Amino acid sequence: MDVEQHVSGEGAAEQPILVTRSSMPPLQEYVAEIAPLWESHWLTNMGRKHREFSQMLEQRLEVENVCLFTNGHNALECILEALEVEGEVITTPFTFASTTHAIVRKGLVPVFADIRPDDFTIDPASVEALITPRTCAILPVHVYGGLCDLDALDDIARRHSLKLVYDAAHAFGVRRAGVSAAAFGDASMFSFHATKVFNTIEGGAVCFRDPSLEQKLDQWKNFGITGAESVEYVGGNAKMNEFCAAMGICNLRHFDEEIAKRKLVSERYRRNLEGVGGLRLPPFPADVEPNYAYMPVVFEDAFGATRDEVYEALRARGVNPRKYFYPLVSDYACYRDRYSSAATPVAQWVAARVLTLPMYADLSLEDVDRICAIVRACGNADDADGRGADRR
Ligand SMILES: *Cc1c(COP(=O)(O)O)cnc(C)c1O
């Protein structure tokens, strides 16, 4: 596979392209936002910025109840605790370590269901087949910002009286038929990590349906302290500080512009890659308002090069994609003794073939063209123009 030969016009001194680049507001805007902290000297513990940002999020995500956290992972652990679930949690192995770790760290047992081959989200039929008397909850992931089969999962959860908690770390701003992704299930966790589509440097939130959970979540993230002289829960410390909340306030003002720019990047990728034989792109259902969080591509055998070959070819040219999610969680050293990824063959198949290409608001369209040229050049020789014979 001689990639060099097919790609023209690049100098050796190109800047490396990373898989993502954190969104940041204009510096002056952030400085103005944090300036009042020098007056108040109130830096954390649910201060003004925390309150303001929390209210902005309730509006933006169109939900009644939002609780802010240091990060998405702590938010997830906390909501599992607050829901008082016990036993087995059906989840997906095609995710980031956090999803499964949260289950295990809360003393629960993860049970891995398989995923759907088209959008990589948990397969409701596989979930249903794994339900036992010990099952207490379902924890699906809106992978790459693509929404799960919300209706089927809701139906299963209701029929079996299970809690339904979404890992919505990727799905900030996504809506289906005008309804916010934050509004489904008993709760949804969002991550505002620097690498996510919306960031507070580090941060996260949980949106929840039952308003009676609010007090418990607030107390849990502050050591279980319930009053000046009373501590009722063995809580942790997971409070979002004022500087992170201020970053959230600023970034939220620019979120729509960011999404508009990401849309152009996504469209450029699709123009370059759609119809290339053996190359599968994520679906964009007509009723979903996407956030273009990631640019996953699946390399089927018909493509003519493996995912790892494409990965190496891109790296050799200064482009850094990610094998995201590879390996499957069930193949991690800390889990593989207890699980077999052969039990989730679709997830295993996708994990071996998927690559997430660079995607961020300021990625130039010329760079997208360059990345796609490298990818296409890896494929079958007769597909050098990017229009394969077996296009679907
Ligand atoms: C980022 C991420 C998390 C964890 O979020 P943090 O804010 O980094 O703790 C959880 N699940 C998924 C799928 C993620 O991508």
Side-chain angles (χ1 to χ4, degrees):
M1 186 184 59
D2 186 358
V3 172
E4 302 296 324
Q5 190 180 309
H6 296 283
V7 185
S8 57
E10 281 89 40
E14 306 249 6
Q15 287 286 316
I17 301 174
L18 301 181
V19 72
T20 186
R21 190 162 179 265
S22 299
S23 304
M24 296 173 83
L27 177 60
Q28 285 317 312
E29 189 180 328
Y30 185 64
V31 169
E33 200 63 48
I34 59 173
L37 303 177
W38 266 258
E39 314 266 312
S40 68
H41 285 245
W42 188 300
L43 307 185
T44 186
N45 282 33
M46 288 79 107
R48 248 183 111 146
K49 297 293 168 196
H50 185 286
R51 267 198 309 280
E52 208 179 311
F53 179 44
S54 183
Q55 281 162 10
M56 280 173 80
L57 277 180
E58 282 172 11
Q59 275 181 16
R60 175 81 218 192
L61 295 173
E62 296 152 19
V63 289
E64 306 266 311
N65 308 301
V66 171
C67 187
L68 299 176
F69 286 89
T70 41
N71 55 56
H73 180 81
N74 279 334
L76 191 52
E77 284 200 12
C78 189
I79 187 65
L80 290 175
E81 175 126 350
L83 288 170
E84 297 179 2
V85 283
E86 252 175 65
E88 295 177 354
V89 178
I90 300 177
T91 187
T92 168
F94 192 71
T95 185
F96 183 56
S98 171
T99 321
T100 313
H101 285 1
I103 295 169
V104 175
R105 288 169 59 83
K106 286 293 110 187
L108 301 159
V109 179
V111 174
F112 294 115
D114 210 350
I115 61 171
R116 304 193 294 185
D118 54 342
D119 67 3
F120 322 119
T121 62
I122 204 163
D123 181 351
S126 177
V127 171
E128 186 128 35
L130 292 168
I131 292 173
T132 73
R134 295 179 299 281
T135 311
C136 59
I138 311 172
L139 179 31
V141 180
H142 297 311
V143 182
Y144 307 130
L147 297 182
C148 298
D149 188 339
L150 301 159
D151 301 325
L153 292 169
D154 196 60
D155 178 58
I156 293 170
R158 273 174 212 277
R159 278 190 287 109
H160 296 273
S161 304
L162 304 173
K163 298 293 182 197
L164 179 55
V165 178
Y166 285 103
D167 179 334
H170 296 181
F172 190 88
V174 178
R175 294 149 132 254
R176 187 190 67 163
V179 180
S180 165
F184 297 96
D186 292 291
S188 294
M189 174 276 276
F190 292 88
S191 165
F192 308 146
H193 184 258
T195 56
K196 300 300 203 284
V197 69
F198 167 75
N199 86 80
T200 62
I201 309 171
E202 289 259 13
V206 66
C207 300
F208 49 99
R209 192 181 295 272
D210 175 3
S212 75
L213 294 175
E214 181 170 9
Q215 198 183 27
K216 194 159 176 203
L217 290 167
D218 279 342
Q219 291 165 346
W220 189 92
K221 72 180 178 186
N222 191 28
F223 303 103
I225 295 171
T226 53
E229 298 178 5
S230 59
V231 180
E232 288 178 44
Y233 308 110
V234 186
N237 180 4
K239 305 179 296 288
M240 178 180 283
N241 69 58
E242 293 290 280
F243 290 80
C244 289
M247 189 72 164
I249 290 169
C250 293
N251 275 339
L252 198 51
R253 288 190 197 115
H254 299 280
F255 184 68
D256 289 331
E257 304 154 38
E258 292 280 309
I259 294 300
K261 288 203 244 169
R262 282 174 175 271
K263 180 169 194 272
L264 296 178
V265 174
S266 168
E267 285 170 355
R268 188 69 158 227
Y269 266 119
R270 296 182 87 85
R271 211 174 87 189
N272 272 292
L273 298 178
E274 246 165 20
V276 173
L279 207 156
R280 209 192 276 183
L281 303 176
F284 277 93
D287 60 347
V288 173
E289 225 175 282
N291 66 1
Y292 311 101
Y294 298 88
M295 187 63 217
V297 179
V298 171
F299 297 93
E300 298 175 343
D301 299 344
F303 180 66
T306 65
R307 181 271 310 274
D308 288 352
E309 285 167 345
V310 179
Y311 176 80
E312 292 305 335
L314 287 165
R315 303 251 311 170
R317 308 302 297 270
V319 179
N320 289 276
R322 286 284 308 276
K323 298 178 192 177
Y324 196 57
F325 299 110
Y326 171 85
L328 290 181
V329 171
S330 44
D331 283 329
Y332 288 0
C334 53
Y335 294 124
R336 67 181 170 222
D337 294 348
R338 275 172 287 165
Y339 297 95
S340 164
S341 59
T344 54
V346 178
Q348 198 178 36
W349 188 91
V350 174
R353 288 167 180 79
V354 72
L355 199 60
T356 52
L357 300 176
M359 165 56 91
Y360 46 87
D362 292 326
L363 183 61
S364 78
L365 301 184
E366 292 69 35
D367 280 338
V368 174
D369 291 345
R370 187 163 75 87
I371 292 164
C372 292
I374 299 169
V375 169
R376 281 166 29 184
C378 293
N380 289 320
D382 64 351
D383 192 33
D385 67 351
R387 293 288 170 264
D390 67 337
R391 59 195 295 188
R392 284 162 305 271

